[in-house]
Amino acid sequence: MNPAMLIPLQLLLTVSLQVLFFQNLTLWNGWGILAFHALGILLLPLNTRPVVLLVVSALVGASVDFFAYGGGLFTSSAITMATFLPFINRLLAPREGYEVTDEPTIKSMGIQWFSVRTFAALSIHNLWLFSLEAGRWSLMFTGWGKALTSSFLGLFLFAAVLQLVQAKRKKR
Amino acid sequence: MRNLWNFIVQYQVILVFMLLQGLAMGWFVTSHGYPRGKWVRLALNWESAWQGRLAQWSHRTELSDQNIQLLEENARLRSTLGQSSSSRNRNRGKFIAAEVIRLTWVQDQNYFILNQGRDQGIRIGQGVTENGAAIGKIIETTNAYSIGIPLLHNRLDWSARIGQSGAIGRLKWNGVDATSGVLYDIPRSADLKPGDSVLTTGFQGVFPSDLLFGTVADEPPFFDGEFLNVPVNWSANFQSLRYVQLTETPDKALIDSLQSTANLSTP
């Protein structure tokens, strides 16, 4: 499929899955909450301009908020994650920089690069989200704990989804 | 002009971030916890219609028809209780049956959505009960759906009484355990023991009096100056809510107008 078509499609798919399925899924008594739409943002090309990344993330977050009654919670978290994503990419860049053909996937960059980047980005997203939601200091530490466990859960889910998708592509 | 343009180009990322984050935080501050505004109502309509459709499909394999009939009969019987001539039951009010189609209980400020709205006579401020236990109140309605706040909301106080003639206090959820809350401001002299009923007072106009919130928990109350804070176990199980009834306080408009007169006549 044309890559230009693939990006909106993967954003639409991840947002739809979050709205229709993952937002209703709460594991371990609130310690495992998934933000599947973040995968769509993380899969945007590595050379995406920071401003475009911010705008797309805001739209993705707002779509989830609109259907999940988040009241701006997911929008704000997605924008925060998108702000830090270029820095994370720069920190994890190979010595000679990224190739034009590099994609932010396990297949292209390896499991170690993918895991560190995804966990860092998801942690920023979730720490912001749970801190805002906690709204007071007495609940902040519990919120941060939930953010980190949810980030681990998200990392495993994203890795599993990408492995499945890539395995399918390989078979073809 | 050129300097301004250069400034915008140079700091475009920061400016876009500040603009978008400002909009998001504005949205968050104005709507968090209390869904308000056109967009939220529109989203509520769409989302509720979708959730309602999903529930409809899944119910085809269940005995939902019989459940709804029983629920309506239950609501009718409770309304009949309210029409009793005895003075004790005079303020118990009418009940409308509804089904919970969406519910959260793991957040600090939870909500539920019911499959009944303005067209079925549901109004903002109505109390919601489950099997005679008070569980929350309606905060927003559309024609076919309504959204409410359960007891599991850390910013709401509920007026509650221990037993039918005991001490009155503020019942509040502490945001931690979905099965219990705390009754604040109970005098130290109050006579209470584990298992005592914690009932609605009817003072807030949300519920009729003497509906069950829960029971005094089997834990020692903790002291707060001159008062006791008493742990309370909810009567309802919020993780398995499905069929509920909505209460209506009779003569609410008359009572409210009387209340405003009292405010005006304060010397």
Side-chain angles (χ1 to χ4, degrees):
Chain A
M1 187 186 282
N2 182 0
M5 285 294 293
L6 194 66
I7 292 168
L9 202 68
Q10 77 195 13
L11 288 171
L12 187 71
L13 190 69
T14 50
V15 168
S16 305
L17 281 171
Q18 172 67 19
V19 167
L20 297 175
F21 181 66
F22 287 107
Q23 69 156 331
N24 299 314
L25 189 70
T26 305
L27 302 171
W28 310 315
N29 204 20
W31 287 78
I33 289 173
L34 287 160
F36 194 72
H37 59 287
L39 179 61
I41 299 169
L42 290 171
L43 288 180
L44 288 173
L46 289 166
N47 59 359
T48 307
R49 286 177 55 201
V51 173
V52 177
L53 194 62
L54 279 171
V55 173
V56 171
S57 302
L59 288 174
V60 166
S63 307
V64 175
D65 270 329
F66 184 75
F67 291 104
Y69 313 113
L73 198 62
F74 288 101
T75 314
S76 179
S77 308
I79 292 167
T80 308
M81 184 180 83
T83 310
F84 285 95
L85 205 50
F87 294 107
I88 298 170
N89 288 344
R90 220 172 297 156
L91 280 174
L92 298 176
R95 196 176 299 167
E96 62 279 11
Y98 293 107
E99 301 286 336
V100 183
T101 52
D102 282 345
E103 289 175 355
T105 59
I106 299 174
K107 188 182 171 188
S108 173
M109 300 303 297
I111 187 73
Q112 193 181 352
W113 182 93
F114 177 83
S115 302
V116 174
R117 177 178 183 260
T118 303
F119 184 73
L122 273 181
S123 297
I124 291 167
H125 179 278
N126 290 342
L127 283 169
W128 186 264
L129 186 141
F130 281 95
S131 303
L132 273 183
E133 200 187 23
R136 52 186 166 151
W137 286 107
S138 59
L139 294 175
M140 207 58 87
F141 289 109
T142 316
W144 291 346
K146 287 179 177 178
L148 293 178
T149 50
S150 298
S151 302
F152 271 115
L153 182 68
L155 169 62
F156 286 124
L157 177 75
F158 293 180
V161 167
L162 285 187
Q163 288 294 68
L164 282 173
V165 173
Q166 285 172 1
K168 254 188 180 176
R169 278 185 190 166
K170 270 180 194 169
K171 274 181 191 171
R172 283 178 195 169
Chain B
M1 195 65 188
R2 180 176 281 184
N3 285 342
L4 178 67
W5 180 248
N6 287 340
F7 177 82
I8 291 171
V9 170
Q10 193 176 353
Y11 296 104
Q12 55 176 315
V13 176
I14 297 169
L15 291 173
V16 171
F17 167 77
M18 283 168 65
L19 175 72
L20 293 174
Q21 193 65 274
L23 289 171
M25 292 305 289
W27 185 9
F28 176 76
V29 169
T30 52
S31 68
H32 195 63
Y34 297 90
R36 289 270 183 270
K38 247 196 299 190
W39 283 105
V40 176
R41 271 198 290 276
L42 186 64
L44 173 64
N45 257 336
W46 286 4
E47 177 71 358
S48 303
W50 168 251
Q51 292 291 340
R53 187 68 60 86
L54 281 181
Q56 221 175 10
W57 288 337
S58 64
H59 287 187
R60 282 182 184 160
T61 55
E62 297 176 27
L63 299 170
S64 60
D65 287 349
Q66 284 89 330
N67 278 336
I68 289 165
Q69 280 171 12
L70 283 171
L71 179 72
E72 283 169 352
E73 189 179 349
N74 204 4
R76 207 172 55 244
L77 288 170
R78 285 187 193 284
S79 300
T80 316
L81 262 179
Q83 288 160 8
S84 157
S85 58
S86 82
S87 61
R88 211 176 99 60
N89 282 331
R90 228 176 64 198
N91 288 325
R92 289 193 72 81
K94 291 179 183 171
F95 289 81
I96 302 168
E99 183 179 356
V100 178
I101 56 170
R102 189 84 185 271
L103 169 73
T104 68
W105 63 83
V106 294
Q107 300 166 12
D108 293 331
Q109 290 149 27
N110 295 290
Y111 64 86
F112 56 81
I113 297 174
L114 304 179
N115 69 340
Q116 307 280 26
R118 274 196 297 270
D119 289 348
Q120 289 76 34
I122 294 183
R123 288 180 294 98
I124 293 170
Q126 271 186 306
V128 185
T129 65
E130 190 218 25
N131 288 329
I135 60 159
K137 72 171 182 178
I138 299 298
I139 56 160
E140 193 66 69
T141 59
T142 64
N143 287 339
Y145 299 96
S146 50
I147 187 165
I149 298 178
L151 300 180
L152 306 183
H153 194 286
N154 64 5
R155 293 197 186 164
L156 281 190
D157 290 347
W158 306 84
S159 174
R161 170 188 277 136
I162 298 176
Q164 284 178 348
S165 56
I168 292 172
R170 291 181 298 119
L171 184 62
K172 199 169 180 178
W173 186 48
N174 54 13
V176 179
D177 182 3
T179 63
S180 64
V182 178
L183 185 58
Y184 292 92
D185 302 340
I186 296 299
R188 286 183 176 213
S189 57
D191 183 24
L192 58 96
K193 55 184 182 300
D196 279 353
S197 303
V198 177
L199 305 170
T200 56
T201 59
F203 292 170
Q204 290 171 306
V206 176
F207 296 107
S209 57
D210 297 336
L211 291 181
L212 192 64
F213 275 123
T215 53
V216 173
D218 191 10
E219 303 169 30
F222 39 99
F223 294 95
D224 183 10
E226 293 299 310
F227 297 99
L228 289 176
N229 296 338
V230 182
V232 174
N233 289 330
W234 303 133
S235 175
N237 180 358
F238 285 92
Q239 296 184 18
S240 61
L241 282 185
R242 183 153 178 192
Y243 297 108
V244 295
Q245 290 108 26
L246 288 101
T247 63
E248 194 174 333
T249 310
D251 300 332
K252 187 174 186 302
L254 279 175
I255 296 168
D256 287 348
S257 65
L258 203 58
Q259 197 171 10
S260 60
T261 315
N263 290 338
L264 283 174
S265 61
T266 305

